């Protein structure tokens, strides 16, 4: 499953080199500006390869597809440095505006961003896993984001997918990105009481449960 950037639209049908031994189908989740388009890819035979071109309103993707039964990747996403930089600039502007509004309302100088950010961090999460290789070393959140600091060893192996668990206990796809840095960190632009990391499928899947401790989310 290839996941495009949130809000990105395909401008034409993806071009597949081998349409006999490879099948593709469209999929989508979310709505509005967070609507995310996906392409589900299924090879009919092992050890075959082809090319795929995906035209969108933001860029063109050129991919080489390899059907290797021993090296299965369930979900592929991309990082977009330009988009991340713009998002951080908007976030910094929003934080500065909040500081000014709070200062005006309380008639006192605003707190420094670092101090205010530290006061808003919430580390009240319980992480349960049998396999420490994909278990986050730290989970915390601020007023709008949840952060999953992953073990450094995950760089050398397949990364798990992250889901929000709904009231029925079922996985729901959620948008997240991997922040740059020496330690891999998943960043989710939302809060939730229950997250799940999953690597693989079926009974052999490796699963990590992340639950918020006491504070209810509104």
């Amino acid at each position: 499953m290839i996941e495009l950037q949130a809000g990105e639209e395909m401008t034409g049908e993806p071009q597949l080199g081998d349409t006999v031994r490879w099948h593709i189908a469209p999929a989508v989740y979310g709505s509005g500006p967070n609507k995310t388009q996906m392409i589900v890819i299924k090879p009919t035979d092992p050890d075959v390869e082809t090319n795929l071109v995906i035209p969108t309103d933001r860029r063109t993707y050129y991919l080489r597809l390899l059907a290797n039964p021993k090296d299965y990747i369930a979900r592929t996403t991309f990082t977009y440095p330009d988009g991340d930089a713009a998002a951080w600039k908007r976030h910094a502007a929003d934080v500065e505006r909040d500081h000014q509004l709070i200062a005006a309302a309380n008639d006192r100088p605003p707190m420094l961003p670092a101090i205010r950010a530290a006061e808003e961090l919430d580390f009240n999460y319980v992480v349960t896993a049998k396999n420490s290789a994909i278990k986050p070393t730290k989970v915390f959140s601020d007023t709008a984001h949840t952060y999953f600091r992953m073990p450094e060893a995950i760089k050398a192996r397949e990364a798990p997918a992250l889901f929000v668990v709904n009231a029925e206990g079922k996985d729901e796809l959620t948008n997240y990105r991997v922040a740059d840095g020496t330690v891999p960190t998943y960043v989710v632009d939302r809060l939730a009481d229950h997250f799940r990391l999953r690597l693989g499928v079926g009974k052999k899947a490796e699963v990590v449960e992340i639950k918020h401790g006491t504070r209810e989310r509104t």
Side-chain angles (χ1 to χ4, degrees), residues 10-46:
M10 285 185 283
T11 56
E13 183 177 352
Q15 300 300 309
L16 186 63
D18 184 349
T19 58
V20 175
R21 294 179 296 180
W22 294 81
H23 297 163
I24 60 175
V28 65
Y29 70 87
S31 60
N34 292 322
K35 178 180 178 181
T36 302
Q37 294 194 346
M38 299 179 293
I39 298 174
V40 180
I41 301 173
K42 296 180 180 180
T44 60
D45 296 310

Side-chain angles (χ1 to χ4, degrees), residues 31-168:
S31 60
N34 292 322
K35 178 180 178 181
T36 302
Q37 294 194 346
M38 299 179 293
I39 298 174
V40 180
I41 301 173
K42 296 180 180 180
T44 60
D45 296 310
D47 300 318
V48 294
E49 65 177 89
T50 189
N51 295 320
L52 177 66
V53 179
I54 308 172
T56 76
D57 57 353
R58 299 180 184 177
R59 57 188 63 86
T60 300
Y61 298 81
Y62 299 89
L63 300 107
R64 180 187 178 205
L65 307 181
L66 303 173
N68 185 342
K70 296 182 180 179
D71 188 18
Y72 172 69
I73 300 175
R75 178 170 173 261
T76 297
T77 61
F78 304 92
T79 57
Y80 304 93
D82 293 342
D84 290 345
W88 279 112
K89 288 181 180 179
R90 291 193 299 270
H91 176 69
D94 291 342
V95 169
E96 180 61 26
R97 184 178 65 252
D98 290 345
H99 293 163
Q100 294 173 357
L101 292 174
I102 293 173
N106 297 327
D107 193 25
R108 59 179 173 82
M111 289 188 292
L112 294 174
I115 297 175
R116 183 167 183 263
E119 291 183 347
E120 293 173 348
L121 294 182
D122 178 8
F123 293 88
N124 190 18
Y125 290 87
V126 177
V127 181
T128 306
K130 293 182 180 180
N131 185 352
S132 60
I134 62 171
K135 179 181 179 181
T137 59
K138 185 175 295 184
V139 179
F140 58 98
S141 61
D142 54 25
T143 57
H145 309 82
T146 308
Y147 305 87
F148 303 80
R149 186 165 296 170
M150 305 300 292
E152 190 170 358
I154 205 171
K155 292 181 178 181
R157 59 171 295 167
E158 184 180 354
L162 178 64
F163 302 89
V164 170
V165 182
N166 62 25
E168 288 73 35

Side-chain angles (χ1 to χ4, degrees), residues 170-191:
K170 296 182 179 180
D171 294 348
E172 292 183 352
L173 283 172
T174 184
N175 288 333
Y176 66 92
R177 60 186 180 276
V178 181
D180 295 331
T182 56
V183 180
T185 301
Y186 287 12
V187 182
V188 181
D189 296 330
R190 62 172 293 183
L191 305 177

